[in-house]
């Protein structure tokens, strides 16, 4: 089949055709690159400004360079519908445009100024790609950055920016996406964009990521709105999957139900590959081939997360494919559930992820009885209890950080018994609040009886479910 030609460089490669097409093209408002057309809507510019100000408050004198993601390498030959902006760049700008750079000049007193560089609009290319943002008033309004310029100017502007950022006495922080030419993410890569800044910076060259991680741990109002919706979508998908799964289906049929439920509700992509692991696959932690035919008597681990407006959910439920747990499955399930509840009950400001994991393991040690052959089942709990959640499923931030209101974590104990093809994981998303916590995924059935009830309520003849 002929490659479809849609990207910027693709158009460059077919200039003759593109120029003819462009004759009748009028530049329209650039909606695609600023979240304006997305189900989540744009990030309010005042919140973007607050994030940038908070970052400045963490820095001394110097210059910050944050680059956007690039289009895929094969964009010249294929339509690239998989472009996703770099998390840090999106967090600071709300812009989805490739080939862009955000530069900040920190004054050493907690303040500073910002300049955004985005590619110039090219009408001939927009016949293929749709409207782009471009430097101009729209970019100013979307980002709250008053000074927006053409991306082609950034290297030439480097000396001026460095002089404003303290010259030889200032630091250089490098963040955002690593260019394709770099094997190492962050400050280690001195490509054509960063080298002129690095050459003129007198002080240290440091990665910006750790500074931003501290900020991204604490969700602001717009981030929480996005996360609540991502989680609500994921909970709805869990419920649909529970209502439709049946022996004889393949795991990918459950995956299809889940991901259709995501898209119908405005999720733009999955936050991570959906895990639908039945029988032996329930014991494989990141199984995502989803190929097996499910059989009567299987447990099915469904570990899924919709991504909505750049924020992801991460919710796991384990179901009996027949709609009824066996006694043995129920015993393991209730142990994992009890361990999860003990940890969730302990989520509050001041504690740590490490302490929560200890609580879950102590619960298992105290309550395993003979379920795991005499010893504690926690030796079959072979992964960590929690991780931070946000723009990434395993989001940025030190795992040693003390919990504070506004942080979102997962609580996800599991017990995996490969010899019995029996795996159970239960995972919820929890917001730390001043009073303790809120389980954001609470609407997904979690008690074994609730799961069974929903599976029977949603049950239909197997043939109709396929
Ligand atoms: N969904 C991957 C995880 O829970 O870590
Ligand atoms: Mn998780
Ligand atoms: Mn998960």
């Amino acid at each position: 089949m002929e490659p479809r030609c849609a990207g910027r460089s693709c158009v460059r490669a077919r200039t003759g055709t593109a120029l003819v097409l462009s004759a009748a093209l009028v530049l329209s408002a650039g909606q695609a690159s600023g979240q304006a057309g997305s189900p989540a809507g744009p990030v309010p510019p005042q919140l973007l400004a607050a994030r940038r100000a908070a970052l400045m408050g963490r820095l001394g004198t110097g210059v910050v360079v944050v680059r956007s993601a690039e289009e895929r390498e094969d964009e010249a030959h294929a339509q690239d519908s998989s472009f996703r902006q770099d998390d840090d760049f999106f967090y600071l700008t709300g812009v989805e445009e490739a080939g862009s750079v955000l530069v900040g000049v920190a004054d050493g007193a907690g303040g500073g100024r910002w300049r955004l560089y985005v590619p110039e609009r090219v009408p001939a290319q927009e016949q293929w790609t749709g409207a782009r943002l471009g430097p101009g008033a729209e970019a100013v309004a979307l980002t709250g950055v008053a000074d927006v310029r053409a991306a082609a100017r950034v290297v030439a502007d480097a000396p001026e920016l460095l002089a404003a950022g303290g010259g030889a006495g200032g630091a250089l922080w490098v963040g955002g996406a690593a260019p394709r030419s770099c094997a190492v993410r962050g400050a280690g890569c001195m490509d054509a964009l960063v080298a002129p800044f690095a050459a003129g910076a007198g002080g240290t060259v440091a990665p910006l990521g750790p500074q931003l991680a501290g900020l991204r741990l604490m969700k602001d109002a717009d981030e929480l709105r996005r996360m609540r919706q991502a989680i609500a979508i994921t909970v709805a998908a869990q419920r649909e999957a529970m209502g439709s799964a049946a022996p004889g289906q393949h795991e990918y049929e459950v995956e299809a139900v889940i991901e259709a439920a995501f898209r119908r509700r405005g999720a733009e992509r999955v936050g991570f590959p959906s895990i639908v692991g039945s029988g032996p696959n329930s014991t494989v932690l990141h199984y995502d081939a989803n190929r097996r035919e499910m059989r009567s008597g299987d447990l099915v681990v469904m570990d899924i997360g919709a991504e909505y407006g750049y924020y992801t959910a991460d919710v796991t439920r384990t179901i009996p494919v027949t709609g009824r747990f066996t006694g043995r499955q129920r015993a393991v399930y209730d142990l994992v559930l009890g361990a999860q509840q003990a940890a969730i009950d302990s989520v509050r400001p001041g504690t740590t992820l490490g302490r929560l994991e200890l609580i879950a393991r102590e619960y298992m040690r105290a309550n395993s009885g003979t379920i795991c052959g005499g010893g504690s089942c926690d030796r079959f709990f072979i992964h960590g209890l929690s991780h931070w959640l946000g723009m990434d499923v395993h989001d940025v931030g030190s795992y040693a950080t003390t919990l504070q209101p506004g942080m979102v974590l997962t609580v996800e104990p599991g017990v995996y018994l490969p010899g019995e093809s029996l795996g159970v994981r239960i995972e919820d998303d929890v917001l730390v609040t001043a009073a303790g916590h809120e389980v954001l995924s609470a609407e997904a059935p979690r008690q074994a009886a609730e799961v069974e009830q929903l599976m029977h309520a949603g049950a239909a003849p197997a043939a109709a479910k396929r």
Side-chain angles (χ1 to χ4, degrees), residues 206-221:
L208 185 66
Q211 303 287 348
L212 277 169
L215 296 177
R216 281 177 47 191
L217 265 176
M218 312 286 296
K219 272 58 182 181
D220 66 27

PDB file of all heavy atoms in Angstrom, residues 206-221:
ATOM      1  N   ALA A 206      22.936  20.928  34.711  1.00  0.00           N
ATOM      2  CA  ALA A 206      22.244  19.947  35.564  1.00  0.00           C
ATOM      3  C   ALA A 206      20.916  19.547  34.935  1.00  0.00           C
ATOM      4  O   ALA A 206      20.291  20.340  34.221  1.00  0.00           O
ATOM      5  CB  ALA A 206      21.985  20.548  36.939  1.00  0.00           C
ATOM      6  N   PRO A 207      20.457  18.309  35.201  1.00  0.00           N
ATOM      7  CA  PRO A 207      19.131  17.925  34.710  1.00  0.00           C
ATOM      8  C   PRO A 207      18.044  18.656  35.482  1.00  0.00           C
ATOM      9  O   PRO A 207      18.126  18.824  36.700  1.00  0.00           O
ATOM     10  CB  PRO A 207      19.080  16.418  34.967  1.00  0.00           C
ATOM     11  CG  PRO A 207      20.071  16.163  36.047  1.00  0.00           C
ATOM     12  CD  PRO A 207      21.121  17.230  35.953  1.00  0.00           C
ATOM     13  N   LEU A 208      17.003  19.075  34.761  1.00  0.00           N
ATOM     14  CA  LEU A 208      15.892  19.788  35.393  1.00  0.00           C
ATOM     15  C   LEU A 208      14.910  18.816  36.039  1.00  0.00           C
ATOM     16  O   LEU A 208      14.160  19.186  36.945  1.00  0.00           O
ATOM     17  CB  LEU A 208      15.166  20.626  34.328  1.00  0.00           C
ATOM     18  CG  LEU A 208      14.045  21.524  34.804  1.00  0.00           C
ATOM     19  CD1 LEU A 208      14.598  22.640  35.693  1.00  0.00           C
ATOM     20  CD2 LEU A 208      13.290  22.125  33.628  1.00  0.00           C
ATOM     21  N   GLY A 209      14.925  17.566  35.560  1.00  0.00           N
ATOM     22  CA  GLY A 209      13.928  16.582  35.992  1.00  0.00           C
ATOM     23  C   GLY A 209      13.708  16.513  37.495  1.00  0.00           C
ATOM     24  O   GLY A 209      12.567  16.556  37.962  1.00  0.00           O
ATOM     25  N   PRO A 210      14.762  16.406  38.308  1.00  0.00           N
ATOM     26  CA  PRO A 210      14.536  16.287  39.755  1.00  0.00           C
ATOM     27  C   PRO A 210      13.821  17.498  40.350  1.00  0.00           C
ATOM     28  O   PRO A 210      13.029  17.352  41.281  1.00  0.00           O
ATOM     29  CB  PRO A 210      15.965  16.155  40.319  1.00  0.00           C
ATOM     30  CG  PRO A 210      16.753  15.568  39.178  1.00  0.00           C
ATOM     31  CD  PRO A 210      16.163  16.162  37.939  1.00  0.00           C
ATOM     32  N   GLN A 211      14.091  18.700  39.814  1.00  0.00           N
ATOM     33  CA  GLN A 211      13.389  19.894  40.319  1.00  0.00           C
ATOM     34  C   GLN A 211      11.901  19.809  39.994  1.00  0.00           C
ATOM     35  O   GLN A 211      11.043  20.118  40.815  1.00  0.00           O
ATOM     36  CB  GLN A 211      13.967  21.154  39.675  1.00  0.00           C
ATOM     37  CG  GLN A 211      15.457  21.335  39.871  1.00  0.00           C
ATOM     38  CD  GLN A 211      15.792  21.737  41.293  1.00  0.00           C
ATOM     39  OE1 GLN A 211      14.907  22.101  42.070  1.00  0.00           O
ATOM     40  NE2 GLN A 211      17.067  21.656  41.647  1.00  0.00           N
ATOM     41  N   LEU A 212      11.603  19.369  38.764  1.00  0.00           N
ATOM     42  CA  LEU A 212      10.193  19.278  38.363  1.00  0.00           C
ATOM     43  C   LEU A 212       9.476  18.120  39.046  1.00  0.00           C
ATOM     44  O   LEU A 212       8.273  18.187  39.306  1.00  0.00           O
ATOM     45  CB  LEU A 212      10.105  19.102  36.845  1.00  0.00           C
ATOM     46  CG  LEU A 212      10.187  20.407  36.056  1.00  0.00           C
ATOM     47  CD1 LEU A 212      10.356  20.120  34.578  1.00  0.00           C
ATOM     48  CD2 LEU A 212       8.933  21.249  36.296  1.00  0.00           C
ATOM     49  N   ALA A 213      10.212  17.064  39.345  1.00  0.00           N
ATOM     50  CA  ALA A 213       9.573  15.908  39.994  1.00  0.00           C
ATOM     51  C   ALA A 213       8.964  16.323  41.322  1.00  0.00           C
ATOM     52  O   ALA A 213       7.859  15.896  41.678  1.00  0.00           O
ATOM     53  CB  ALA A 213      10.592  14.789  40.183  1.00  0.00           C
ATOM     54  N   GLY A 214       9.673  17.172  42.056  1.00  0.00           N
ATOM     55  CA  GLY A 214       9.158  17.638  43.344  1.00  0.00           C
ATOM     56  C   GLY A 214       7.854  18.392  43.179  1.00  0.00           C
ATOM     57  O   GLY A 214       6.948  18.297  44.018  1.00  0.00           O
ATOM     58  N   LEU A 215       7.743  19.144  42.080  1.00  0.00           N
ATOM     59  CA  LEU A 215       6.505  19.885  41.825  1.00  0.00           C
ATOM     60  C   LEU A 215       5.395  18.963  41.338  1.00  0.00           C
ATOM     61  O   LEU A 215       4.245  19.066  41.775  1.00  0.00           O
ATOM     62  CB  LEU A 215       6.749  20.970  40.772  1.00  0.00           C
ATOM     63  CG  LEU A 215       7.722  22.080  41.145  1.00  0.00           C
ATOM     64  CD1 LEU A 215       7.900  23.025  39.960  1.00  0.00           C
ATOM     65  CD2 LEU A 215       7.192  22.849  42.354  1.00  0.00           C
ATOM     66  N   ARG A 216       5.748  18.052  40.426  1.00  0.00           N
ATOM     67  CA  ARG A 216       4.715  17.184  39.831  1.00  0.00           C
ATOM     68  C   ARG A 216       4.112  16.206  40.840  1.00  0.00           C
ATOM     69  O   ARG A 216       3.025  15.673  40.625  1.00  0.00           O
ATOM     70  CB  ARG A 216       5.295  16.444  38.622  1.00  0.00           C
ATOM     71  CG  ARG A 216       5.352  17.313  37.367  1.00  0.00           C
ATOM     72  CD  ARG A 216       5.991  16.616  36.180  1.00  0.00           C
ATOM     73  NE  ARG A 216       5.476  15.278  35.971  1.00  0.00           N
ATOM     74  CZ  ARG A 216       6.017  14.393  35.129  1.00  0.00           C
ATOM     75  NH1 ARG A 216       7.091  14.725  34.412  1.00  0.00           N
ATOM     76  NH2 ARG A 216       5.507  13.194  34.998  1.00  0.00           N
ATOM     77  N   LEU A 217       4.820  15.978  41.936  1.00  0.00           N
ATOM     78  CA  LEU A 217       4.249  15.116  42.985  1.00  0.00           C
ATOM     79  C   LEU A 217       2.982  15.703  43.585  1.00  0.00           C
ATOM     80  O   LEU A 217       2.079  14.982  44.002  1.00  0.00           O
ATOM     81  CB  LEU A 217       5.276  14.938  44.108  1.00  0.00           C
ATOM     82  CG  LEU A 217       6.172  13.722  44.070  1.00  0.00           C
ATOM     83  CD1 LEU A 217       7.174  13.790  45.212  1.00  0.00           C
ATOM     84  CD2 LEU A 217       5.355  12.441  44.159  1.00  0.00           C
ATOM     85  N   MET A 218       2.923  17.028  43.653  1.00  0.00           N
ATOM     86  CA  MET A 218       1.780  17.715  44.280  1.00  0.00           C
ATOM     87  C   MET A 218       0.831  18.163  43.179  1.00  0.00           C
ATOM     88  O   MET A 218       1.158  19.075  42.425  1.00  0.00           O
ATOM     89  CB  MET A 218       2.257  18.955  45.040  1.00  0.00           C
ATOM     90  CG  MET A 218       3.432  18.713  45.948  1.00  0.00           C
ATOM     91  SD  MET A 218       2.943  17.818  47.406  1.00  0.00           S
ATOM     92  CE  MET A 218       1.846  19.001  48.140  1.00  0.00           C
ATOM     93  N   LYS A 219      -0.323  17.538  43.088  1.00  0.00           N
ATOM     94  CA  LYS A 219      -1.236  17.842  41.981  1.00  0.00           C
ATOM     95  C   LYS A 219      -2.015  19.129  42.249  1.00  0.00           C
ATOM     96  O   LYS A 219      -2.587  19.308  43.337  1.00  0.00           O
ATOM     97  CB  LYS A 219      -2.217  16.685  41.786  1.00  0.00           C
ATOM     98  CG  LYS A 219      -1.727  15.580  40.854  1.00  0.00           C
ATOM     99  CD  LYS A 219      -0.451  14.921  41.247  1.00  0.00           C
ATOM    100  CE  LYS A 219       0.008  13.865  40.273  1.00  0.00           C
ATOM    101  NZ  LYS A 219       1.259  13.235  40.713  1.00  0.00           N
ATOM    102  N   ASP A 220      -2.069  20.000  41.232  1.00  0.00           N
ATOM    103  CA  ASP A 220      -2.897  21.202  41.370  1.00  0.00           C
ATOM    104  C   ASP A 220      -4.329  20.887  40.910  1.00  0.00           C
ATOM    105  O   ASP A 220      -4.642  19.751  40.537  1.00  0.00           O
ATOM    106  CB  ASP A 220      -2.266  22.411  40.652  1.00  0.00           C
ATOM    107  CG  ASP A 220      -2.204  22.264  39.136  1.00  0.00           C
ATOM    108  OD1 ASP A 220      -3.035  21.538  38.557  1.00  0.00           O
ATOM    109  OD2 ASP A 220      -1.317  22.896  38.517  1.00  0.00           O
ATOM    110  N   ALA A 221      -5.205  21.906  40.927  1.00  0.00           N
ATOM    111  CA  ALA A 221      -6.634  21.657  40.694  1.00  0.00           C
ATOM    112  C   ALA A 221      -6.891  21.056  39.316  1.00  0.00           C
ATOM    113  O   ALA A 221      -7.720  20.151  39.159  1.00  0.00           O
ATOM    114  CB  ALA A 221      -7.406  22.963  40.855  1.00  0.00           C
TER     115      ALA A 221
END
